[in-house]
Amino acid sequence: ASEKWNSIQMTEERVDTLLEYVKEHDFEHKDLYIDILSRWQKGDFSRADKDHNAIWELQGGNIGRANGLLSKEEEAKFIEETFGKDAY
């Protein structure tokens, strides 16, 4: 997206915590969340745009559909600018 409204850094610790929480509780679409977080736990963000859109659609999103991934260079720049130089 050319404009991002907010961002949360997906650290290993955050992904682990989210995955554990989802596994321990009942959620509608629990299997989808586990599938996404399990891939992310392995460092596989290759479908992050599709993951975003799957959750976005469940929430009735009408603005903010993802249409691709950043390049490695764009991602590094975004992470540094958003979370700081040591975040990458």
Side-chain angles (χ1 to χ4, degrees):
S2 60
E3 183 179 334
K4 294 176 182 23
W5 296 330
N6 57 42
S7 300
I8 298 173
Q9 188 176 10
M10 285 291 109
T11 63
E12 288 180 32
E13 181 180 79
R14 180 167 283 124
V15 172
D16 290 346
T17 300
L18 287 168
L19 183 56
E20 186 173 324
Y21 186 84
V22 169
K23 285 181 177 180
E24 291 176 357
H25 295 84
D26 289 325
F27 290 97
E28 189 174 0
H29 311 291
K30 180 177 183 171
D31 291 342
L32 172 66
Y33 299 132
I34 290 173
D35 178 54
I36 291 169
L37 290 166
S38 294
R39 278 189 278 103
W40 290 7
Q41 188 179 48
K42 295 173 188 166
D44 180 0
F45 293 92
S46 64
R47 295 176 33 110
D49 55 339
K50 293 171 183 61
D51 297 337
H52 164 85
N53 289 339
I55 295 169
W56 176 81
E57 288 172 7
L58 291 176
Q59 295 176 342
N62 57 11
I63 298 174
R65 182 173 186 78
N67 56 13
L69 299 172
L70 297 175
S71 70
K72 293 288 184 190
E73 294 79 18
E74 291 168 326
E75 180 182 6
K77 180 180 178 186
F78 173 78
I79 290 171
E80 184 176 323
E81 289 176 354
T82 305
F83 303 113
K85 194 171 189 171
D86 297 329
Y88 200 83

